[in-house]
Amino acid sequence: MKKLAFLAPMLLISAALAATPKDTLVYQNSADIPTLDPTMVYDTASGSITENIYETLLTYKGASLTELEPLLATGWKESNAGKTYTFDLRKNVKFHSGNTMTCDDAAYSIRRNLVVNSPESGNWFISEALLGTGSNANDDKTITWDRIAKAVSCNNAGQLVFNLPKVDPAFLAKMAYTGQSIVDKAHAIKQGEWDGTERTWKEWVGKDLNDSGLSKNPSGTGAYQIVRRDANTLLARAFPGYWGQKPAIQNVIIQKVPEQAARYEAIKRGDADIIETGPRSTLSQLQGPGITILDDLPNTTATAFFMNQNVKDPGLLGSGKLDGRGIPANFFSDVNVRRAFSYAFDYERYIKEVQLGKGIQRTMLLPDSFPGYAKDVKTYKYDAKQAESYFKRAFGGDVWKNGFTLRMNYRAGAAASQTAAELLKRNIEAINPKFKVEIGAKQWSTMLNDSKAGKEAMIIIGWAPDYADPDNFVHTFYHSEGYYSPRSGFSDRSIDAWVNQARNTTNTAKRNQLYKLVANRSFAVAPFIYIPAGVNFTVYRSELKGVSKNTYNPMTSFSATGTFWKDLSK
């Protein structure tokens, strides 16, 4: 109750003085916080909180995407040809409950993720690493308790041991993901969570734990602990028993403010230290005394037009034929169609009009700041003559002779996606009067579900990384069994083989060579139209210290500053 009595007035004081106190950080955004249970975290809003109240074994070093350093671990070693990892754990670390962290807590945390592995969570990739499958035990009957127990355990020396079925070069990066945070086992069980035993594990497989007891009452080892949370406000306070350096910021207030204009006014007045901003075109509204705009930050998302080679919704096909009134389900299976569409998009105009000149045309669907990105690869440029040439070759000349009507959707409310779709439509229809592209807005959740079922002909969709390894993008987009495969219907034996090889070697140079092969092959077969990547920026009050290009790490969920709360001060 003392904590509530202390923090609640702080919120009132900040509003009254129109300036946040020196020891308090106020962040305003428009997002809900779905969960504070690490096993369910798979969105940036939840991740930005959990990464500050919980901690993982490893974390990224400074702004690096390739260097990892110990956090709750003090060191680790590899053995068994890269299939066994043994971690030494930090001593005398306290949870917010007052319990001392042990190896048993760490083993319980990872086992819990393997047991639950809900479809709504991000645990598929740690399950893939430790069990050889991204599925849970309900969907893959070969998963047994013995396999889970063997995958992660404690040895007699109190070390945490991971046994992988095969080499995974991304394993350490996966362990830095906030969903692999170490939870307080005794506290979790007291909240009604899984008891950690073989007797009950099957009861928890696939459960949706977004609103779990642990989410309502978390206990981590992080520098901050939750004091109060409701639909619109979260209050956190520095944990006095934190094992690391004591943070300068003692209080953190997260406020949900849906209206962009209200957030902009708040940071201008000093009511907020950091805010969620709108598109680059709105930055002019924020320029002024007391506000810093940090620009030219890395963008770690990748976005593309998907050209579905096997459209499973007859309603999008019109006549279903190349007669000018529709398209066949396999319209995009002809590489000439895909190349024509790729040449028909005006990349430079998109960068100029949507990204105000702050954009990069990438060579592949992998962030250019990531390891494995291949710079020396051809890219498509807007060329109406080239597009016309490939359209004339498509389907033996039938596309050019008869024309087509294509229906494509974009996410409702996404101005950049709408503009991209309109640019493509305008350019294609200008090539041949028999070509028609009908575009429409669609609710995001509906479009996601339909595209996952292969029911969209052409959509714009992107990917943000779970962990800083190229496989998280390359397998997702390009592999025939990748997460996005149903949305594109794309399959290429050579690419599949190269991606599989890259997944099974720890040799960085070899992996990079394989990813370059993927990029070159992708240019040749054109499964996607790569949308230029915007350059990121962030806006904050100038008195806030600890935000810079040298410290900004895009893998930190609290990407408004690219840092943890504990690294900030005023």
Side-chain angles (χ1 to χ4, degrees), residues 44 63 65 280 294-304 350-351 354-355 358-371 373 416 461-465 467-468 473 477 530-538 549 552-556 559 562:
T44 54
L65 295 177
R280 180 172 288 276
L294 185 63
D295 205 347
D296 299 315
L297 297 173
N299 180 345
T300 53
T301 63
T303 306
Y350 181 86
I351 291 173
V354 177
Q355 299 167 335
K358 289 276 191 176
I360 301 170
Q361 187 178 354
R362 291 181 178 149
T363 62
M364 60 190 302
L365 289 172
L366 177 67
D368 48 286
S369 58
F370 263 48
Y373 179 77
I461 197 167
W463 183 260
Y467 48 94
F473 284 88
F477 281 107
Y530 302 163
I531 293 180
V535 176
N536 279 352
F537 59 88
T538 192
K549 291 181 183 178
Y552 183 92
N553 194 309
M555 293 306 299
T556 304
S559 55

Side-chain angles (χ1 to χ4, degrees), residues 335-345 378-394 400 431 435 523:
V335 68
N336 294 300
V337 173
R338 303 195 301 271
R339 287 171 180 163
F341 269 73
S342 297
Y343 277 117
F345 186 69
K378 292 180 181 179
T379 58
Y380 284 91
K381 307 295 182 184
Y382 172 56
D383 190 327
K385 291 295 184 183
Q386 283 275 43
E388 178 181 323
S389 174
Y390 281 109
F391 274 131
K392 286 179 177 178
R393 302 178 201 179
W400 186 260
I431 293 172
F435 295 172
F523 174 82

